[in-house]
Amino acid sequence: LNPFDAPSKTSNVVLIVGGKKLHVSKELLTRHSPVFAAMFCNECGEDMGKDEETIDDVVDREFVDLLKVIHPGYSPFTQSSVSHIVKLG
């Protein structure tokens, strides 16, 4: 079960990863990653307002594990997920 398959109360952007749409929070991702901060904000710190962003060269299920690390309430760590979470982080 993927918690990012459908919009939630906090999701406000869709990331397209491996052709799969993931509903996430810009604010939460921006707080945890300078890469997402650059993706979602310009130099003035203003929201660029895009509703969808595409992320290439990433496996969707591995990216979902990374999202689970960032979003509170999920525990994605398994013996098989640790290596790709570290790689994506």
Side-chain angles (χ1 to χ4, degrees), residues 23-74:
H23 300 265
V24 297
S25 164
K26 286 181 186 181
E27 292 78 14
L28 192 56
L29 294 177
T30 299
R31 257 187 265 142
H32 291 331
S33 167
V35 173
F36 287 118
M39 180 185 291
F40 297 135
C41 302
N42 65 21
E43 300 88 29
C44 299
E46 297 171 6
D47 183 11
M48 292 180 74
K50 290 179 84 175
D51 293 332
E52 291 187 350
E53 291 282 350
T54 300
I55 298 177
D56 296 317
D57 302 324
V58 176
V59 177
D60 63 322
R61 71 179 187 284
E62 292 179 358
F63 193 78
V64 167
D65 285 342
L66 177 66
L67 291 175
K68 288 178 179 178
V69 170
I70 294 170
H71 285 75
Y74 299 103

Side-chain angles (χ1 to χ4, degrees), residues 61-62 64-66 68-69 74-87:
R61 71 179 187 284
E62 292 179 358
V64 167
D65 285 342
L66 177 66
K68 288 178 179 178
V69 170
Y74 299 103
S75 180
F77 293 108
T78 64
Q79 191 169 7
S80 63
S81 70
V82 170
S83 64
H84 63 257
I85 291 171
V86 170
K87 178 182 72 173

